[in-house]
């Protein structure tokens, strides 16, 4: 059985680790960008069964681009090496450490700034049962909040790591059916657990019924009522207020913030359904950008769609995490047609296809795009504020762009305030970077 996530175009893994120095640059790299752009994705090394291989599985490979003083000093790609299963989903910086992350049972693997050395880092045992790919860092306290889970245990473990990397709070919250909990929401005062209908229990039922289950044992669960668990930041299991959520599934939360009336707002990328027809990737229904207004006092969630475009990989200015934001940046999602109104027959090969960079102004409802050119599509963007920025979009968008015409990648820098302008700079990489998951700009300290 063929499997597009192993074989098709830029989904296919690369076979080698690559090193290159003094990368060619078109345009001018801002001299303020001193640090590393790091991204990660799955890169199976062989021995996987195409019939059951899920896109989310496979050894992680980190792709790093070092920028300094207006130059692109190096590009390196390295497999994440770990005897406990290699994280493949996100790479972040916390407490002076670079951490590769994955959910559902594996602790982070720390990687040195030159990408040479790797070692499991579990916060002195606090993360030994696993972590998450999407922790949220409060920009004021520097604390890292995480909803962690392991489907073998019937709970979500909420962990708060201090700015020093030490675990300072843990709460175990009972959750039935073993839901996939990929992301969470953090506001200034609260956290939200996403308990949505993709579960380990449903995968087990499918298996017993003789239906295909991938090597990622989570599938759509129409017996699992979607709900949100709202609790105080740093709160306990007894303080969780469960509220029924709109139908569908959310991998990613753009951002969330408190409202004066006690409700909270969370902007999410919501799918109607995933992992039912296609159990090897999230291609069943297209993603839509929804604003959820969650009112714990009334026990209600109001949903409104806030973009005409299909988007994924939502990113906000990290300094506004948990605070009211205006802008979101996304990879446009084109596999079902870029606009919600596009009437495009779904490609029978399906897949999860990105396209242009998309900026949504949630105050005006305006969407602007940056098209990278024929055969060129962006992966997840990162917003990097300009030092002493004067507005929320005063900064740059960095993303790895795949160029199918030459089968190589570039790190492209855009002016976040003016997406219609030509790129500020394009760093030409010597190889392609497979479509993976998440990346971040890690500035030098
Ligand atoms: Fe993710």
């Amino acid at each position: 059985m063929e499997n597009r996530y192993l074989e098709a175009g830029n989904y296919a893994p690369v076979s080698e680790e690559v090193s290159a120095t003094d990368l060619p640059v078109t345009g001018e790299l801002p001299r303020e960008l001193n640090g590393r752009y790091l991204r990660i994705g799955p890169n199976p090394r062989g021995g996987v069964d195409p019939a059951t291989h899920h896109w989310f599985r496979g050894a992680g490979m980190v792709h790093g681009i070092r920028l300094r003083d207006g130059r692109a000093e190096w590009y390196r790609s390295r497999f994440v090496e770990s005897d406990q299963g290699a994280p493949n989903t996100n790479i972040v910086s916390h407490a002076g450490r670079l951490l590769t992350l994955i959910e559902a049972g594996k602790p982070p693997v720390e990687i040195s700034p030159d990408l040479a050395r790797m070692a499991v880092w579990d916060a002195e045992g606090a993360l030994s049962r696993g972590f998450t790919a999407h922790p949220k860092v409060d920009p004021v306290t520097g604390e890292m909040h995480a909803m962690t889970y392991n489907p073998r245990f019937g709970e979500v473990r909420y962990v708060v790591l201090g700015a020093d990397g030490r675990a300072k709070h843990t709460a175990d919250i009972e959750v039935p059916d073993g839901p996939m909990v990929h992301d969470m929401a953090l506001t200034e005062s609260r956290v939200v657990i996403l308990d949505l209908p993709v579960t380990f229990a449903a995968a087990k039922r499918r298996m017993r019924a003789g239906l295909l289950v991938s090597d990622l044992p989570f599938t759509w669960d129409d017996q699992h009522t979607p709900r949100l668990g709202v609790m105080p930041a740093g709160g306990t299991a007894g303080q969780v207020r469960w509220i029924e959520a709109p139908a569908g599934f959310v991998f990613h939360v753009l951002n969330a913030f408190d409202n004066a009336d006690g409700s909270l707002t969370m902007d999410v990328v919501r799918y109607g359904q995933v992992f039912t027809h296609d159990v090897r990737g999230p291609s069943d229904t297209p993603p839509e950008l929804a604003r959820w207004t969650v009112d714990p006092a009334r026990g209600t969630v109001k949903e409104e769609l806030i973009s005409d475009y299909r988007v994924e990989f939502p990113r906000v200015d990290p300094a506004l995490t948990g605070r009211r934001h205006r802008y979101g940046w996304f990879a446009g999602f084109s596999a079902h047609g870029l606009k919600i109104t596009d009437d495009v027959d779904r490609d029978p090969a399906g897949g999860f296809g990105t396209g242009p960079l998309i900026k949504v102004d949630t105050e005006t409802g305006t969407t602007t795009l940056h098209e990278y050119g024929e055969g060129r599509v962006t992966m997840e963007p990162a917003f990097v504020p300009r030092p002493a920025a004067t507005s929320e979009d005063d900064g740059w968008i960095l993303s790895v762009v795949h160029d199918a015409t030459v089968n190589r990648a570039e790190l492209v820098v855009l002016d976040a305030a003016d997406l219609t302008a030509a790129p500020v700079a394009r760093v030409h990489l010597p190889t392609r970077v497979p479509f993976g998951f998440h990346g971040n700009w890690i500035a030098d300290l």
Side-chain angles (χ1 to χ4, degrees):
M1 183 190 280
E2 73 170 28
N3 185 320
R4 61 179 169 266
Y5 298 110
L6 288 171
E7 294 147 24
N10 197 43
Y11 281 103
V14 291
S15 55
E16 293 180 333
E17 296 180 339
V18 173
S19 303
T21 54
D22 291 326
L23 309 170
V25 177
T26 301
E28 197 164 338
L29 277 170
R31 299 184 75 85
E32 299 94 328
L33 290 176
N34 289 305
R36 289 159 181 75
Y37 183 79
L38 301 172
R39 82 172 262 112
I40 191 170
N43 201 94
R45 291 172 122 158
V48 293
D49 179 357
T52 56
H53 172 69
H54 193 286
W55 183 30
F56 294 1
R57 299 280 295 191
M61 182 179 255
V62 175
H63 301 262
I65 300 124
R66 170 68 162 136
L67 306 183
R68 182 153 58 181
D69 297 331
R71 293 173 48 239
E73 290 190 335
W74 51 255
Y75 163 77
R76 291 173 189 152
S77 57
R78 297 290 183 269
F79 283 103
V80 182
E81 306 285 355
S82 169
D83 54 10
Q84 291 195 42
N88 68 12
T89 317
N90 203 352
I91 179 164
V92 301
S93 171
H94 189 64
R97 301 169 190 275
L98 294 178
L99 302 172
T100 63
L101 307 179
I102 192 167
E103 69 200 63
K106 303 289 193 307
V109 170
E110 183 178 0
I111 185 165
S112 61
D114 60 0
L115 312 189
R117 286 168 292 113
M118 299 171 203
V120 167
W121 180 80
D122 65 5
E124 298 169 333
L127 311 181
S128 59
R129 263 172 48 172
F131 197 53
T132 175
H134 289 287
K136 299 283 191 236
V137 175
D138 185 295
V140 173
T141 66
E143 293 171 346
M144 176 176 265
H145 298 251
M147 293 300 169
T148 79
Y149 72 104
N150 178 328
R152 290 188 295 130
F153 305 101
E155 62 202 21
V156 166
R157 173 168 286 182
Y158 169 40
V159 180
V160 183
L161 300 176
D164 60 0
R166 289 219 152 97
K168 58 182 291 185
H169 178 74
T170 298
D172 289 339
I173 297 127
E174 203 176 312
V175 177
D177 300 332
M180 172 182 271
V181 183
H182 187 66
D183 202 344
M184 62 174 289
L186 170 74
T187 72
E188 200 170 338
S189 69
R190 289 172 284 188
V191 291
V192 182
I193 304 166
L194 299 171
D195 177 15
L196 302 177
V198 167
T199 72
F200 187 51
K204 284 193 286 191
R205 285 198 300 271
R206 276 182 75 104
M207 211 175 293
R208 282 196 295 271
L211 298 168
L212 180 68
V213 173
S214 76
D215 54 11
L216 184 89
F218 292 92
T219 57
W220 181 258
D221 190 343
D222 51 21
Q223 298 175 31
H224 187 87
T225 302
R227 57 182 192 158
L228 304 178
V230 182
M231 65 193 288
T236 59
Q239 294 176 295
V240 178
R241 173 87 162 91
W242 290 106
I243 304 166
E244 188 163 339
F249 190 76
V250 170
F251 291 102
H252 298 128
V253 176
L254 168 66
N255 196 29
F257 52 86
D258 291 323
N259 297 313
D261 66 357
S263 66
L264 65 89
T265 296
M266 49 193 287
D267 289 347
V268 301
V269 174
R270 197 259 298 136
Y271 294 73
Q273 198 173 56
V274 289
F275 304 154
T276 174
H277 302 295
D278 179 5
V279 296
R280 300 179 301 178
S283 74
D284 286 339
T285 59
E288 295 174 327
L289 183 60
R291 172 159 286 193
W292 286 355
T293 305
V294 182
D295 188 333
R298 291 197 174 87
T300 58
V301 181
K302 186 182 79 166
E303 176 178 277
E304 54 182 321
L305 296 185
I306 57 172
S307 177
D308 297 334
Y309 286 82
R310 291 170 173 156
V311 297
E312 246 297 0
F313 298 121
R315 297 302 297 265
V316 72
D317 178 351
L320 292 177
T321 300
R323 276 65 180 173
R324 181 179 291 272
H325 62 275
R326 176 170 178 180
Y327 300 112
W329 285 273
F330 309 83
F333 181 99
S334 54
H336 297 249
L338 192 56
K339 286 188 87 167
I340 288 172
T341 50
D342 285 347
D343 185 16
V344 174
D345 279 343
R346 195 155 80 84
D347 175 359
F352 183 92
T354 57
L357 191 285
I358 287 185
K359 174 185 183 181
V360 174
D361 181 336
T362 64
E363 280 182 12
T364 64
T366 314
T367 301
T368 49
L369 280 69
H370 182 90
E371 297 273 5
Y372 292 88
E374 187 65 30
R376 294 162 58 88
V377 298
T378 190
M379 303 179 207
E380 182 185 59
F383 172 76
V384 183
R386 193 187 305 272
T390 56
S391 64
E392 187 181 324
D393 58 355
D394 186 5
W396 301 280
I397 295 295
L398 272 59
S399 69
V400 172
V401 170
H402 175 63
D403 188 335
T405 65
V406 292
N407 203 30
R408 279 195 300 273
E410 296 173 5
L411 176 70
V412 177
V413 181
L414 302 178
D415 179 347
D418 183 9
L419 292 190
T420 62
V424 174
R426 295 161 53 198
V427 179
H428 301 267
L429 307 186
T431 182
R432 68 185 178 86
V433 174
F435 295 132
F437 301 134
H438 299 290
N440 287 288
W441 171 251
I442 316 286
D444 290 342
L445 294 175

